[in-house]
Amino acid sequence: MDKKNALRAGAVTAGTALMMLLMTSPALALTRDDGDDPGPGLSVGETVGLYVVLPIVIFLVITGLVMVLDKSDRKPKQA
C-alpha cells in the first residue's frame, strides 16, 4: 500500500508542476507595458558584486558587530 501512495503523490506532484509550467507564459514578458522604462543593464562585475559580494560583506559586518558588542561572560567554569 505504501508504494501505491508514493506513486500517487509523485503523479500529483508531476501533474501540478506540469500545469504550473504550462500556465506561466514567458511570451508575455516580451511585450512592453505602458509606462515601462527599463534602465541600463548591469555588467557581470556589478551583478556579482550586488548579489554575491555585498550580502557576504553585510553578513560579516553583522557577525563582527555581534562578536564585538557581546556582553556575555565567556570565562570557563571552575571545577
Side-chain angles (χ1 to χ4, degrees):
M1 192 65 172
D2 190 49
K3 202 175 213 181
K4 188 176 181 181
N5 286 339
L7 185 61
R8 182 180 299 144
V12 168
T13 303
T16 304
L18 181 63
M19 288 304 295
M20 287 175 56
L21 286 173
L22 291 174
M23 296 297 272
T24 57
S25 178
L28 292 176
L30 297 176
T31 59
R32 291 289 220 213
D33 290 334
D34 289 339
D36 191 16
D37 188 21
L42 297 175
S43 69
V44 174
E46 290 171 333
T47 304
V48 170
L50 184 63
Y51 294 109
V52 176
V53 175
L54 187 63
I56 291 172
V57 168
I58 291 172
F59 174 78
L60 292 175
V61 166
I62 292 172
T63 303
L65 287 173
V66 168
M67 290 174 68
V68 167
L69 300 175
D70 187 19
K71 302 282 187 200
S72 65
D73 187 20
R74 296 207 178 257
K75 293 180 184 172
K77 294 181 181 179
Q78 297 295 331

